Amino acid sequence: MHPENWHVARGRELRSGPALIFDLDGVLADALHRQHFLHLAEPDWDGFYGAVDADEVLERGRALTEYFRDDVPVVVLTGRIDAVAEVTKSWLDRHGVRWDVLICRPPSDSDDSTHAVDYKRVEVRRLLEAGVEPVMAVDDNRRIVAMYEEFGIPSLYFPSGYYDNSARYDGGV
Ligand SMILES: [Mg+2]
């Protein structure tokens, strides 16, 4: 049994062994049109998540998933809330993104209660406990890239620019 916030793609399975970890927003999905919801005194999370289905795919990120052997599964580890898991799965399929497992924040979690880097650290631990061996992790948040380094996981900073102009908000998804 997987945690309830782990969503396995149809016809796929989560197995032990090597895997790639990809962030979603700013790496695979172009969330630039939603960033203004976060650059407020109080972020408008409903607005931010309500617009996810309108994201364009980030071609550079999608291409990056294809550069790796296709027998190495792709875990999409996103800070998105679990309430948008279904729309996100459809989005990934519609845009031809290679993915095997989608992990969102647990339903009990929220952007206000847990910083993205702390939520992702917990999920990385759970992946390791499940026997997953991440060979590369990609994220557009430098703090999250540094978190992967804590585990000794090779990590790649993918510049989205989302964090460059945000004085208050350095977490994000
Ligand atoms: Mg991101």
Side-chain angles (χ1 to χ4, degrees):
M1 277 293 287
H2 301 312
E4 61 183 336
N5 58 315
W6 292 18
H7 307 273
V8 180
R10 188 169 308 175
R12 305 290 184 143
E13 59 179 346
L14 178 63
R15 56 180 191 271
S16 58
L20 300 160
I21 299 177
F22 274 79
D23 180 34
L24 181 54
D25 291 326
V27 174
L28 299 170
D30 186 353
L32 189 61
H33 69 106
R34 297 186 274 123
Q35 295 303 303
H36 66 93
F37 289 115
L38 305 182
H39 297 165
L40 303 168
E42 287 299 323
D44 177 359
W45 293 110
D46 289 342
F48 182 72
Y49 287 119
V52 294
D53 204 39
D55 290 359
E56 298 291 333
V57 70
L58 283 174
E59 293 293 348
R60 286 193 307 166
R62 179 170 65 178
L64 191 57
T65 69
E66 305 288 345
Y67 294 148
F68 294 89
R69 281 171 40 165
D70 62 6
D71 61 341
V72 180
V74 171
V75 175
V76 176
L77 175 53
T78 176
R80 290 186 185 183
I81 54 174
D82 204 61
V84 294
E86 289 303 317
V87 69
T88 299
K89 288 161 61 179
S90 299
W91 184 94
L92 289 165
D93 289 338
R94 194 166 76 245
H95 290 278
V97 177
R98 180 163 89 81
W99 71 284
D100 296 84
V101 181
L102 169 69
I103 300 177
C104 297
R105 286 177 187 267
S108 57
D109 197 353
S110 77
D111 296 273
D112 292 325
S113 66
T114 313
H115 196 291
V117 68
D118 296 322
Y119 143 75
K120 287 195 176 183
R121 184 183 290 105
V122 169
E123 297 298 334
V124 169
R125 282 205 192 96
R126 298 211 284 188
L127 285 166
L128 294 170
E129 287 165 9
V132 173
E133 301 164 10
V135 294
M136 172 69 82
V138 184
D139 208 289
D140 68 322
N141 183 325
R142 291 183 193 275
R143 291 183 63 180
I144 292 171
V145 169
M147 178 274 291
Y148 287 118
E149 292 176 3
E150 294 171 17
F151 288 95
I153 297 170
S155 50
L156 182 66
Y157 170 64
F158 192 101
S160 67
Y162 296 171
Y163 303 101
D164 295 352
N165 299 309
S166 174
R168 175 186 183 276
Y169 191 78
D170 68 346
V173 293

